[in-house]
Amino acid sequence: LRLCYLHAGAAARYGWRSPGAPTLSVTYPADPFALAVIDSLAPTGAALGEATNVTISGSGFEPAVAKASIIGCRFGTSTSETAVNATVVEPDRIVCPAPPAGAEATVTLALVADEVDEETREPRDPVAVTNAFRFYNASAVAVSAISPPGNPQGVEGGLVTIVGESFADFGGLQVRFGDLPPVPATQPDAGAPVIVAAAPYVSP
């Protein structure tokens, strides 16, 4: 940071003048999550056997950015835990790859820092994100009915209802019609295997 002053009475003679080069320093808390505010998690689940990046969004992650090499996520159950290193650590988001899972399960997810607390000399406490991250079997998902079975060309936005089995919205739910780009979809009732999406526009 450099401070500059314009000498108003002799601007032509002196122009911009700099009195030196003061520096600005920022001191962060020792705890990388001391300022963290978690706003959202996406997605909230991962398919078995599929590589999935999980994004924790929020604010106050600047102290974690300063210690990016020790920041990670911990996925766990009552009997086992798996920690992975974060691949992205930014002031407003942290991204971690979901670890491989061998079976369907609902697990906890927490942010962790691989260091000890300077006061307690114990490992830092994890910061809980959710206790309901879901590993699911994508092969169990099946479609049994689509209504209506078609949409007129040149018409955009006609709602299509898809009925099936094992549907769940883990965030970013989409439906693809043929080779067209995917469109957003919703699951109106989380307990019912029904998905609704707007048909894309197809020129006549």
Side-chain angles (χ1 to χ4, degrees):
L1 175 65
R2 181 179 293 274
L3 299 177
C4 297
Y5 299 92
L6 179 63
H7 293 262
R13 180 178 178 185
Y14 295 105
W16 287 99
R17 301 282 295 188
S18 174
T23 58
L24 177 66
S25 63
V26 178
T27 301
Y28 292 122
D31 182 349
F33 301 123
L35 306 179
V37 176
I38 297 172
D39 293 331
S40 63
L41 167 69
T44 57
L48 297 177
E50 297 291 335
T52 302
N53 287 322
V54 178
T55 300
I56 299 113
S57 299
S59 60
F61 294 154
E62 287 85 355
V65 173
K67 296 184 175 182
S69 63
I70 64 169
I71 303 301
C73 295
R74 181 181 297 167
F75 298 77
T77 65
S78 58
T79 58
S80 65
E81 294 181 333
T82 301
V84 295
N85 293 329
T87 55
V88 176
V89 183
E90 297 178 345
D92 59 353
R93 67 175 184 140
I94 294 175
V95 180
C96 292
E104 291 187 285
T106 298
V107 303
T108 60
L109 170 58
L111 290 172
V112 293
D114 187 17
E115 67 176 3
V116 298
D117 186 297
E118 294 178 353
E119 295 182 359
T120 65
R121 307 310 302 171
E122 296 290 335
R124 289 202 182 279
D125 292 332
V127 177
V129 176
T130 180
N131 59 2
F133 187 87
R134 180 71 180 167
F135 286 100
Y136 64 95
N137 184 2
S139 64
V141 177
V143 174
S144 57
I146 299 176
S147 178
N151 192 63
Q153 290 182 328
V155 177
E156 183 178 15
L159 294 181
V160 178
T161 300
I162 305 166
V163 181
E165 300 178 7
S166 300
F167 290 168
D169 184 0
F170 296 103
L173 185 63
Q174 296 179 324
V175 172
R176 186 189 299 275
F177 292 79
D179 295 330
L180 298 175
V183 297
T186 61
Q187 187 177 15
D189 183 350
V194 176
I195 290 174
V196 177
Y201 177 84
V202 176
S203 61

